[in-house]
Amino acid sequence: MKDLLKAFEEKKPEIVFEWKDTETEAEGWVVINSLRGGAAGGGTRMRAGLDRHEVESLAKTMEVKFTVSGPAIGGAKSGINFDPSDPRKQGVLDRWFKVVTPLLKNYYGTGGDLNVDEIHDVIPLTEQYGLWHPQEGVLTGHFDVRENGRIHQIGQLRHGVSKVLEEAKYSPDLKRKYRVADMITGFGVAESIKHFYSIYDGSSAGKRAITQGWGNVAAAAAFYLVKQGVKIVGIIDRVGGLVNTTGFTEEEITALFLNRNGNALNHPNMLSFDEINEKIWSIGAEIFIPAAASRLVSKEQVRLLIEHGLEVIASGANVPFADREIFYGPVMEYADEQVAVIPDFVANCGMARVFAYLMQPNIEISDEAIFNDVSSVIREEMKNIHALTPQPKNISSKAYELALKQLLS
């Protein structure tokens, strides 16, 4: 597996597009790792301090993710080095999408990512510059769909991604009109945990969980996990956190979801970040969901979690471990050898799978159909991994082996 990883990591990306904003200090990159199948896909993120190396690593991660979610295309990523809290953010995004539109028209498909919202940022701005949908390039480059068919499938994408959830089991509040794109990634993370336990002879009911982060992925994962009977015992976010060793109720988790300050945890009794960071790694939980940002989880934090009963890590964030390596560094390897680590390209493939599902002709567009499709794809991949490693360890290693054999064959 490590030889395969080394070969994949060292392969240079096919296309790197670099941009300097004329009106601010913002800079950005589109990295297309390959045009496998004639196209590439990957979201657009923004954060202060982002660099080309991060974008390259995420593009490679997307290529691996497509081996699970489909379609069989190359991986790509867009990244903008700029503070998303800066009031000039919208102007930066406007100018960014203006210059990358030719790529998006022909062979690159994008979506939302860290600090860039699919519904409120990506779709309106790409429409403004003449795209029917930000995934149009995948339909053109990979599917080679004729004009009439492309209009039909773009219609499915427009409707499905932005679809307002109609079933209470998928939405924390039907009145607030949450959409598929708001909830599907967290749902997939929760389903990966459910399928892990069912395939490896167990049940998630009664297990304790800790989430790192409280944005759309972590909060949605917690919302769905409590419906499985999982007890959320701790939340650590960038502004602070909460602990309840007996587990927050379903009503309390829903309230914490709805009462967020933007994408941040918000509660009057919240512990400071220093307090929660001192406490949370030792409170005891079988499940850990790192879903805050990339490269945050240290070996010491993993060690403490394992000492206090950890069984499974489901990666809500891309490359959540504090490794320099693109995929599988020493921290991830240590965790993978000790407990079950469901890698990011399986656990958080929900949005990529939704795009792939909606690109198929004449599919059903309903809450049930979309969410069930994501769940079944994740379950099948977990079964494939189980066939290679029937013990709940080295799951990530075997998952990479499966994916890289496809990409390097």
Side-chain angles (χ1 to χ4, degrees):
M1 187 277 295
K2 288 186 177 180
D3 289 341
L4 290 169
L5 265 181
K6 187 172 186 290
F8 187 66
E9 287 181 0
E10 291 180 352
K11 186 180 178 183
K12 298 293 185 185
E14 283 188 30
I15 299 169
V16 179
F17 174 93
E18 188 167 12
W19 171 76
K20 304 286 186 183
D21 190 19
T22 56
E23 298 185 28
T24 70
E25 65 276 19
E27 56 182 349
W29 301 266
V30 177
V31 175
I32 293 175
N33 190 59
S34 83
L35 287 173
R36 173 179 175 244
T44 300
R45 67 169 43 192
M46 175 186 285
R47 74 171 186 85
L50 178 144
D51 61 14
R52 173 176 162 169
H53 175 78
E54 180 177 332
V55 184
E56 285 190 11
S57 69
L58 291 168
K60 289 184 181 292
T61 298
M62 285 305 304
E63 189 144 331
V64 174
K65 186 175 291 187
F66 287 129
T67 67
V68 176
S69 70
I73 60 173
K77 206 72 174 181
S78 292
I80 303 169
N81 176 16
F82 192 70
D83 182 355
S85 65
D86 190 301
R88 299 171 294 171
K89 172 187 175 181
Q90 205 60 27
V92 169
L93 286 174
D94 187 301
R95 292 185 291 278
W96 168 262
F97 282 113
K98 183 177 182 179
V99 299
V100 300
T101 289
L103 282 67
L104 293 167
K105 191 75 176 173
N106 292 289
Y107 52 77
Y108 170 42
T110 196
D113 200 294
L114 184 69
N115 300 314
V116 179
D117 188 80
E118 172 87 20
I119 305 299
H120 300 106
D121 297 323
V122 181
I123 290 175
L125 287 170
T126 52
E127 280 184 351
Q128 180 179 311
Y129 291 110
L131 288 172
W132 289 337
H133 191 274
Q135 291 290 320
E136 187 175 337
V138 176
L139 290 173
T140 302
H142 175 67
F143 289 98
D144 193 24
V145 182
R146 294 179 181 272
E147 187 76 8
N148 288 345
R150 190 157 72 246
I151 291 169
H152 166 72
Q153 282 157 269
I154 286 172
Q156 289 185 165
L157 280 162
R158 289 170 68 100
H159 176 45
V161 172
S162 302
K163 183 185 182 302
V164 174
L165 297 172
E166 300 171 271
E167 296 188 38
K169 67 179 178 179
Y170 297 122
S171 174
D173 186 350
L174 293 174
K175 293 179 182 177
R176 296 202 192 184
K177 297 185 177 179
Y178 287 98
R179 300 171 187 267
V180 168
D182 297 324
M183 303 297 294
I184 198 69
T185 305
F187 171 79
V189 173
E191 289 296 285
S192 75
I193 292 164
K194 181 178 79 174
H195 294 321
F196 162 75
Y197 278 110
S198 67
I199 291 167
Y200 284 86
D201 299 322
S203 168
S204 60
K207 301 292 185 180
R208 299 164 297 168
I210 292 167
T211 75
Q212 183 184 45
W214 200 243
N216 276 357
V217 177
F223 171 77
Y224 295 116
L225 282 171
V226 292
K227 292 181 180 296
Q228 297 176 22
V230 173
K231 300 174 181 178
I232 309 298
V233 295
I235 303 164
I236 179 169
D237 199 20
R238 64 183 181 274
V239 294
L242 294 168
V243 168
N244 181 339
T245 53
T246 61
F248 294 99
T249 65
E250 185 174 340
E251 292 74 21
E252 287 170 329
I253 289 295
T254 301
L256 288 170
F257 185 112
L258 297 174
N259 294 330
R260 289 178 298 169
N261 181 12
N263 267 353
L265 185 66
N266 180 36
H267 191 274
N269 299 328
M270 196 159 60
L271 301 173
S272 71
F273 179 82
D274 288 342
E275 289 176 291
I276 192 70
N277 194 45
E278 179 71 25
K279 181 178 292 190
I280 198 164
W281 311 108
S282 303
I283 61 174
E286 289 77 27
I287 299 165
F288 175 50
I289 303 164
S294 301
R295 307 189 188 279
L296 289 183
V297 182
S298 71
K299 184 175 181 179
E300 176 63 13
Q301 289 164 348
V302 174
R303 185 187 67 77
L304 287 169
L305 288 166
I306 291 170
E307 282 185 1
H308 293 85
L310 183 67
E311 295 174 349
V312 59
I313 299 172
S315 303
N318 288 324
V319 285
F321 298 99
D323 290 316
R324 180 65 180 170
E325 289 79 2
I326 291 177
F327 295 114
Y328 197 83
V331 179
M332 186 173 187
E333 183 174 14
Y334 168 74
D336 196 34
E337 290 175 346
Q338 304 293 318
V339 295
V341 179
I342 306 172
D344 49 18
F345 63 92
V346 178
N348 72 17
C349 75
M351 196 68 239
R353 179 56 204 171
V354 170
F355 286 139
Y357 175 75
L358 294 170
M359 288 178 190
Q360 301 172 95
N362 304 311
I363 45 83
E364 179 185 343
I365 300 179
S366 66
D367 296 355
E368 197 76 15
I370 292 170
F371 280 72
N372 281 348
D373 175 75
V374 167
S375 179
S376 65
V377 164
I378 292 172
R379 178 174 175 79
E380 282 307 303
E381 187 65 12
M382 293 301 298
K383 287 168 67 177
N384 292 338
I385 295 165
H386 179 262
L388 293 179
T389 175
Q391 299 302 315
K393 293 180 181 179
N394 299 306
I395 284 176
S396 285
S397 173
K398 295 303 181 184
Y400 277 118
E401 187 177 317
L402 279 171
L404 292 168
K405 282 181 177 176
Q406 292 183 52
L407 294 176
L408 296 171
S409 61

